[in-house]
Amino acid sequence: GGDESASQTGGEQWLLTGHHHLGRRIARSFGEDEPTLGRVTRWLPADEASGEPALFHCVHDDGDEEDLEEHEVRAAMRRLAAARKEEEAAPPMSEEEVTAAVEAEGLTLLRSERGSS
């Protein structure tokens, strides 16, 4: 029968094992300042017959989900690595900046805990 392609629609077999991207953390940029973080949760192997590439299902920390091709997953992993490097490269906050940040959140440092310098 010539209808086997129609019967495959929606019947893809997503896999939870068998690929090194599974479980990897990613960062996706959607135009915001902060990237959206997520994780690769399952994958669909490439379909050589139809020429469809492998797909990777990602669940974002904010609850959104999307399917990415491998080059997009690799780009998202690079984006995460870059974001982490930026964090590491950022200079530590001064005591004044820390105090201002804490007070901005409505908290107060216990003066007695600070010790005399």
Side-chain angles (χ1 to χ4, degrees):
D3 63 344
E4 54 271 348
S5 62
S7 68
Q8 290 301 313
T9 308
E12 304 107 338
Q13 287 299 303
W14 287 89
L15 304 178
L16 302 176
T17 58
H19 200 287
H20 56 274
H21 288 342
L22 290 170
R24 294 292 296 274
R25 295 287 288 164
I26 60 166
R28 296 276 287 158
S29 291
F30 298 104
E32 303 107 346
D33 294 336
E34 290 292 314
T36 298
L37 302 180
R39 186 179 301 278
V40 179
T41 59
R42 58 184 192 249
W43 76 296
L44 186 65
D47 183 346
E48 267 108 51
S50 68
E52 289 294 316
L55 287 176
F56 298 85
H57 187 76
C58 302
V59 177
H60 299 296
D61 294 354
D62 63 9
D64 283 348
E65 302 182 27
E66 65 178 337
D67 296 333
L68 303 177
E69 292 181 19
E70 185 164 13
H71 69 93
E72 294 172 304
V73 173
R74 283 199 300 265
M77 287 193 281
R78 283 196 301 272
R79 179 74 187 85
L80 179 64
R84 285 181 172 161
K85 279 200 187 72
E86 287 164 17
E87 271 177 29
E88 288 167 16
M93 291 202 303
S94 68
E95 191 173 334
E96 290 77 25
E97 288 173 312
V98 171
T99 302
V102 169
E103 287 172 353
E105 291 177 23
L107 306 169
T108 53
L109 290 169
L110 295 172
R111 298 274 181 242
S112 61
E113 295 289 318
R114 296 180 65 172
S116 53
S117 51

